[in-house]
Amino acid sequence: MQLNQGDALPLDISELKKRKTDLRESEQKYRRIFEDSIDGLILWDNQHRIVDINCAAEKMIGISREKLIGKQIYDPYSHQEKNKQEILKHIEHVLNNGHGNSTIMFDKEDGKKQYFEYSSKLEIVEGLNFTVFKDVSEKVEMQEHLRKSDTLNVIGELAAGIAHEIRNPMTALKGFIQLLEGNITKEHSMYYQVITTELARIDSIINEFLALAKPQAIRFQEKDINQIMKETVDLLNAQAVLYNVQFFTNYDEQLPLVFCEPNQLKKVFINLIKNAIEGMPSGGNITITLQKVENQQIQISIKDDGTGISKEKIKKLGEPFYTTKERGTGLGLMVSYRIIDEHKGNIRVESEEGKGAIFYITLPINLNNSNL
């Protein structure tokens, strides 16, 4: 072959082969990184169709790659309109800004919530967009737990100061009211009764305030949780009869002893069962079940036939001064959540409006071996 002056020399065949080999190795390297990433990775085109997806994304979505490729990114959630709209909102933001980050919450079939963090970039190569997503449920739960703990600490300090300031004049009022009891005429006896009842209610609220103060030293010991619950049910039987409420109890007599503070747990059981009773003004049934579950834990469930609690209200249970009762303070539930937290356990609520509610309390058998 004759070359004219200025013509480029042809590449050596061995050089071409080397470049081809390097290109193949580079492609294999990036394919391996794509496949082995612990985060979910999705490549999608400008029609929102999935072009490629890695194993982690396949596992998190719960649908095989073969079924996902060619589908639009929001197709797996087409039956969940709210989630579909959140994904479309994320895509729109990416198309408008070139990149975007979002956290989207999904409802799982078992009723639990799952949070995914999405990060997307437009046109990483021509006609292809890239999304990285990961499950951040534990992170969100931890942040929520820390937020509630901080709130409890602040409320506790305020509660202790306020309670002591109120208790002093309260003591004087109660003393003088008792002195006046002998001079109350028959026509004013109703007024006296109202005053003493309301003073007792204020005193009860003060005690709940004090319970929110910084935890005092408590002595944990091995106790029979069946016995603690039996004593609680016996204590509340009279109130249940007044409200036309019947108890159904399921005790597992094979349950091991639980390392706990019995009086504190009894306080939690009283709060939750009283709430269930008062939530059924026309009467009904309360079913209490104690059983051993996985990871060396015991689960106590308290189920009622009341009006139920909406999902929005469930999220706020245990918040400072939030209550679903007309004359409630919300302090009882707040104290209950704190006590169970000190026992390294958790409280979970399941409910549908009009179908009652179930409170699940999960406790580790041994605090030192708690995985919670």
Side-chain angles (χ1 to χ4, degrees):
M1 181 176 65
Q2 186 176 358
L3 294 175
N4 296 319
Q5 190 177 6
D7 288 346
L9 289 171
L11 286 172
D12 186 84
I13 292 175
S14 60
E15 181 67 22
L16 284 171
K17 285 182 178 179
K18 183 178 182 302
R19 289 192 182 186
K20 191 174 180 181
T21 302
D22 289 346
L23 188 63
R24 190 184 300 115
E25 286 177 355
S26 178
E27 184 182 344
Q28 288 173 350
K29 181 173 70 174
Y30 285 109
R31 166 55 62 179
R32 205 157 48 242
I33 292 170
F34 183 82
E35 288 297 340
D36 294 344
S37 172
I38 59 172
D39 293 333
L41 306 178
I42 300 175
L43 285 168
W44 48 284
D45 62 21
N46 293 330
Q47 281 72 49
H48 312 160
R49 289 190 302 261
I50 297 172
V51 174
D52 202 357
I53 186 169
N54 73 340
C55 294
E58 186 181 3
K59 187 177 178 181
M60 282 188 256
I61 295 172
I63 301 174
S64 69
R65 177 184 301 190
E66 290 73 21
K67 290 182 180 178
L68 286 170
I69 289 176
K71 301 286 185 183
Q72 292 181 304
I73 333 178
Y74 42 78
D75 278 351
Y77 310 102
S78 55
H79 62 292
Q80 298 177 10
E81 188 59 32
K82 182 185 172 186
N83 292 138
K84 180 180 175 181
Q85 293 304 320
E86 288 286 331
I87 294 169
L88 281 169
K89 185 178 174 182
H90 174 77
I91 292 171
E92 186 181 353
H93 181 77
V94 174
L95 294 175
N96 290 335
N97 298 280
H99 58 86
N101 300 296
S102 303
T103 301
I104 301 176
M105 185 269 289
F106 296 89
D107 290 313
K108 294 173 71 178
E109 289 181 3
D110 59 5
K112 292 183 180 178
K113 301 190 183 306
Q114 199 168 18
Y115 294 85
F116 285 101
E117 196 171 79
Y118 290 82
S119 182
S120 300
K121 185 164 180 58
L122 200 64
E123 297 278 336
I124 57 157
V125 292
E126 189 177 352
L128 279 183
N129 312 303
F130 184 57
T131 293
V132 181
F133 70 101
K134 55 186 174 182
D135 188 338
V136 292
S137 302
E138 286 187 10
K139 176 185 170 185
V140 172
E141 286 173 10
M142 182 62 71
Q143 287 173 341
E144 182 64 15
H145 180 75
L146 290 172
R147 186 185 68 79
K148 285 187 175 180
S149 295
D150 290 342
T151 305
L152 278 172
N153 288 335
V154 172
I155 293 293
E157 290 174 8
L158 284 171
I162 293 169
H164 285 298
E165 288 299 320
I166 296 174
R167 177 151 278 178
N168 291 333
M170 267 288 297
T171 303
L173 283 172
K174 285 166 70 177
F176 283 116
I177 286 292
Q178 286 171 357
L179 288 173
L180 289 171
E181 185 177 5
N183 299 320
I184 301 294
T185 58
K186 189 175 180 180
E187 60 267 26
H188 294 140
S189 62
M190 185 185 73
Y191 303 149
Y192 175 80
Q193 191 62 41
V194 170
I195 292 170
T196 52
T197 301
E198 292 304 304
L199 283 174
R201 182 171 130 76
I202 294 170
D203 198 43
S204 171
I205 293 171
I206 290 171
N207 287 330
E208 288 180 330
F209 263 125
L210 288 172
L212 286 174
K214 287 186 177 179
Q216 299 175 358
I218 52 177
R219 185 168 166 263
F220 287 91
Q221 50 196 298
E222 286 190 327
K223 285 290 179 179
D224 181 355
I225 199 160
N226 283 322
Q227 187 58 36
I228 297 171
M229 182 58 81
K230 286 173 184 175
E231 290 172 4
T232 306
V233 170
D234 288 342
L235 187 67
L236 295 172
N237 256 323
Q239 185 177 355
V241 170
L242 286 174
Y243 279 80
N244 194 29
V245 169
Q246 193 170 1
F247 289 125
F248 291 91
T249 53
N250 302 305
Y251 298 110
D252 181 354
E253 300 301 336
Q254 302 302 313
L255 287 179
L257 298 178
V258 176
F259 200 60
C260 65
E261 209 298 322
N263 291 325
Q264 296 267 333
L265 284 189
K266 191 179 287 187
K267 184 183 289 186
V268 173
F269 298 158
I270 289 171
N271 276 333
L272 296 182
I273 296 172
K274 276 182 70 177
N275 285 347
I277 292 171
E278 292 166 6
M280 297 187 292
S282 302
N285 300 321
I286 293 176
T287 305
I288 299 167
T289 303
L290 286 81
Q291 60 185 337
K292 188 177 178 181
V293 291
E294 58 186 10
N295 297 327
Q296 289 296 299
Q297 297 176 69
I298 286 176
Q299 186 181 81
I300 304 103
S301 64
I302 300 168
K303 179 180 181 296
D304 65 58
D305 296 334
T307 54
I309 311 168
S310 69
K311 287 185 178 180
E312 290 70 27
K313 289 180 178 178
I314 285 176
K315 293 176 186 174
K316 296 181 180 179
L317 291 178
E319 294 283 341
F321 307 110
Y322 181 79
T323 179
T324 58
K325 294 189 288 187
E326 187 179 341
R327 298 192 72 194
T329 61
L331 296 174
L333 261 184
M334 196 174 173
V335 169
S336 298
Y337 274 78
R338 199 207 69 195
I339 290 170
I340 296 302
D341 187 59
E342 287 172 355
H343 281 75
K344 309 298 181 189
N346 66 68
I347 298 178
R348 180 169 60 86
V349 188
E350 287 183 4
S351 181
E352 281 186 50
E353 288 186 277
K355 294 186 179 180
I358 310 175
F359 277 77
Y360 293 99
I361 304 166
T362 306
L363 295 168
I365 293 167
N366 189 328
L367 290 178
N368 294 326
N369 296 330
S370 170
N371 293 319
L372 298 178

